[in-house]
Amino acid sequence: MNVLKELYQSRKLIWKLSKNDFRNKFAGSYFGIIWAFIQPMVTVAVYFVVFQLGLRVNPSATGYPYICWLVSGIIPWFFFSDALPSASNCLLEYSYLVKKVVFKISILPIVKIISSLFVHLFFIVFTVVIFAAMGKLPPIQIIQIVYYMFAVICLVTALSYLTCAITPFFRDFGQIINVCLSVGMWATPILWDKTTIPNIPQWLDRILKLNPLYYIVQGYRESFMNGIWFFEHPWMTLYFWAFVLILVLVSSKVFRRLRVHFSDVL
């Protein structure tokens, strides 16, 4: 509750720092913040060429072009994979603020997450444009993209308070996170569709669904393509929010225990 109170009291400062952080990511480069949008777009183009034009992957019987299936699922991953490492290293990056007694360090992970959110909002609009260009306008369920965006923000926020508290004491933790993200992209799944695998083992399907990002990615795709409401998956929804709640309790406890030692190790 103390963290929530600090976040509310510092909301104007969070907004200001988030905008500055977003601008400073590419400060000094000729194209500036444009790189924040170019890199994900090039990544999508590469995956499209490899999987659609090269391997000729057909994402189940959705009736949508592969590019629509790909982009609708990969945009929440872009946000998560950008926000989590950034928020995990926020105490190291802003060590000069952490050492100030009067500064509320609990706002730093949120600053990084909001900074990544700017690009994510752009790509939601970008995805709608792609669907429109392909003659496949999203169904009415597209309005629930706000719900799934809130869900992924809650997930990455809860996780980042745990990871950012550990990182100052174990500097290699950031590299471990990057390795986990590399594996997680294929385990979610994002670039492949499990429904195209004949006779997929039931135990494997259950393991895949234990990944909370599976709920997010599927939710984005169902909002853009399949026209399925989130409450049509009551057990998956209950599991996801139970996972986030437990993660919040663990992260807040670890963060409170370790925050008094941050200035000593930075």
Side-chain angles (χ1 to χ4, degrees):
M1 294 302 294
N2 290 334
V3 173
L4 293 177
K5 184 178 179 180
E6 289 180 357
L7 295 179
Y8 178 76
Q9 293 174 343
S10 307
R11 59 190 183 280
K12 292 183 179 179
L13 178 60
I14 291 174
W15 178 248
K16 182 179 179 180
L17 290 176
S18 298
K19 292 189 295 183
N20 290 337
D21 183 86
F22 179 66
R23 287 194 295 262
N24 292 336
K25 279 183 180 180
F26 303 94
S29 61
Y30 185 79
F31 290 103
I33 62 174
I34 295 178
W35 287 112
F37 307 100
I38 291 178
Q39 184 175 352
M41 293 175 70
V42 170
T43 302
V44 169
V46 170
Y47 287 147
F48 173 74
V49 171
V50 171
F51 287 94
Q52 176 65 18
L53 302 183
L55 301 178
R56 298 188 180 279
V57 174
N58 180 27
S60 69
T62 60
Y64 285 81
Y66 178 77
I67 186 64
C68 295
W69 183 88
L70 172 64
V71 176
S72 60
I74 205 171
I75 55 172
W77 176 260
F78 279 154
F79 169 66
F80 183 84
S81 61
D82 179 58
L84 182 60
S86 297
S88 299
N89 293 318
C90 66
L91 299 182
L92 299 179
E93 183 176 344
Y94 290 100
S95 58
Y96 59 94
L97 294 177
V98 176
K99 295 178 181 179
K100 292 184 177 181
V101 179
V102 296
F103 187 80
K104 298 175 182 177
I105 60 176
S106 60
I107 73 172
L108 293 178
I110 301 297
V111 167
K112 286 293 186 178
I113 291 170
I114 294 178
S115 176
S116 299
L117 187 61
F118 294 142
V119 179
H120 183 59
L121 293 174
F122 165 80
F123 273 98
I124 289 178
V125 177
F126 175 71
T127 303
V128 174
V129 171
I130 289 180
F131 272 71
M134 294 294 174
K136 298 285 187 177
L137 289 176
I140 186 62
Q141 284 80 2
I142 188 64
I143 62 175
Q144 70 181 355
I145 207 72
V146 177
Y147 161 77
Y148 283 110
M149 183 170 61
F150 174 73
V152 71
I153 291 173
C154 290
L155 175 63
V156 74
T157 300
L159 188 57
S160 64
Y161 273 94
L162 176 63
T163 57
C164 79
I166 297 175
T167 301
F169 300 92
F170 182 46
R171 302 297 177 95
D172 291 342
F173 195 60
Q175 300 302 323
I176 295 176
I177 292 174
N178 290 331
V179 171
C180 291
L181 288 174
S182 299
V183 175
M185 184 173 187
W186 295 96
T188 299
I190 295 173
L191 300 179
W192 60 281
D193 186 359
K194 67 182 182 67
T195 61
T196 61
I197 301 177
N199 302 320
I200 183 171
Q202 190 174 16
W203 62 267
L204 178 58
D205 184 59
R206 290 177 178 176
I207 290 177
L208 291 174
K209 290 180 179 179
L210 289 177
N211 180 357
L213 281 172
Y214 176 91
Y215 176 76
I216 299 295
V217 171
Q218 289 300 110
Y220 268 69
R221 282 182 171 146
E222 290 174 352
S223 300
F224 276 102
M225 297 189 303
N226 301 335
I228 299 176
W229 295 104
F230 72 91
F231 49 77
E232 295 183 50
H233 302 295
W235 291 112
M236 285 293 295
T237 301
L238 181 62
Y239 166 76
F240 174 82
W241 288 110
F243 182 92
V244 171
L245 178 59
I246 293 173
L247 188 59
V248 166
L249 296 176
V250 173
S251 299
S252 59
K253 185 174 182 179
V254 172
F255 189 85
R256 286 197 306 268
R257 288 285 184 89
L258 297 180
R259 69 183 297 171
V260 295
H261 304 291
F262 290 155
S263 58
D264 297 330
V265 297
L266 293 174

